[in-house]
């Protein structure tokens, strides 16, 4: 995932710059997920939407970062063509400790599933969190627990996608 801000995307040459980098290096734009903060729909709305739509036409995917922790309206999930929802690391850390955080995670997972979005959970630090998320349909995870499991020889967990490459 590539973190970006509305300020970056609204710069005059940002779209062509990103497209040129991808083309010059032979990357597949479909494998690049640009992560926008939850407030993206509320800041520089017109410029951000134009940039997002232009990049989407070139195959880039988009994720909303730390969904559910800010003040952005839920309808923004329809407005911006997101492919992913990124959970807040704080609510991931609350799994197994705070029923309210588990309820937030469950609600976001349900909403994402209904909208056809994939869910990424950063900061997974133990088996309880990984099992909870995986058992409820979370698509991608990263964190200390994930890194430790990937380091084990021949470790594969059916149905789970570990995103050890995600930049955060």
């Amino acid at each position: 995932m590539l973190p970006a801000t509305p300020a970056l995307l609204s710069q005059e040459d940002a779209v062509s710059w990103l497209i040129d980098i991808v083309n010059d290096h032979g990357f597949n734009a479909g494998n690049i997920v640009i992560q926008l903060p939850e407030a993206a729909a509320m800041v520089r709305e017109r410029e951000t939407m134009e940039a997002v739509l232009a990049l989407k036409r070139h195959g880039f995917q988009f994720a909303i970062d730390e969904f559910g922790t800010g003040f952005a309206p839920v309808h923004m999930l329809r407005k911006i063509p997101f492919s992913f929802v990124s959970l807040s690391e704080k609510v991931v850390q609350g799994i197994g400790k705070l029923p309210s955080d588990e309820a937030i995670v469950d609600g976001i997972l349900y909403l994402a599933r209904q909208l056809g979005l994939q869910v990424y959970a950063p900061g997974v630090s133990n088996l309880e969190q990984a099992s909870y998320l995986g058992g409820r349909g979370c698509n991608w995870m990263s964190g200390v627990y994930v890194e430790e499991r990937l380091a084990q020889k021949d470790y594969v967990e059916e149905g789970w996608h570990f995103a050890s490459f995600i930049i955060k």
Side-chain angles (χ1 to χ4, degrees):
M1 288 196 186
L2 175 66
T5 64
L8 171 71
L9 292 180
S10 64
Q11 291 180 14
E12 188 175 323
D13 295 333
V15 171
S16 60
W17 176 73
L18 282 168
I19 293 168
D20 288 346
I21 287 174
V22 167
N23 291 336
D24 291 348
H25 294 283
F27 297 132
N28 178 350
N31 293 332
I32 299 173
V33 180
I34 298 174
Q35 192 172 31
L36 296 173
E38 189 178 39
M42 301 181 333
V43 179
R44 299 184 180 179
E45 184 177 350
R46 185 181 56 77
E47 296 92 343
T48 300
M49 281 303 298
E50 288 174 3
V52 166
L53 293 174
L55 290 167
K56 189 75 174 174
R57 282 191 298 272
H58 281 86
F60 289 86
Q61 296 186 66
F62 288 87
I64 183 169
D65 191 26
E66 296 192 348
F67 182 69
T69 60
F71 299 103
V74 174
H75 80 273
M76 74 179 287
L77 292 174
R78 284 184 310 165
K79 193 173 192 178
I80 297 176
F82 290 108
S83 301
F84 294 83
V85 172
S86 176
L87 297 173
S88 165
E89 196 167 326
K90 290 177 183 168
V91 297
V92 171
Q93 291 303 309
I95 294 172
K97 298 175 189 168
L98 299 170
S100 59
D101 282 353
E102 291 175 357
I104 290 168
V105 168
D106 288 345
I108 292 170
L109 286 166
Y110 175 81
L111 180 62
R113 190 170 34 256
Q114 295 305 308
L115 295 173
L117 304 173
Q118 294 187 49
V119 178
Y120 162 61
V124 176
S125 60
N126 59 52
L127 174 61
E128 183 176 13
Q129 293 166 353
S131 296
Y132 186 93
L133 291 161
R136 285 166 171 73
C138 183
N139 307 96
W140 300 88
M141 302 177 206
S142 70
V144 173
Y145 176 77
V146 173
E147 298 298 330
E148 289 172 355
R149 298 299 284 179
L150 288 174
Q152 295 177 5
K153 185 178 180 180
D154 299 328
Y155 179 77
V156 176
E157 185 68 36
E158 187 175 327
W160 292 9
H161 297 96
F162 296 112
S164 61
F165 59 90
I166 291 186
I167 299 169
K168 183 89 168 116

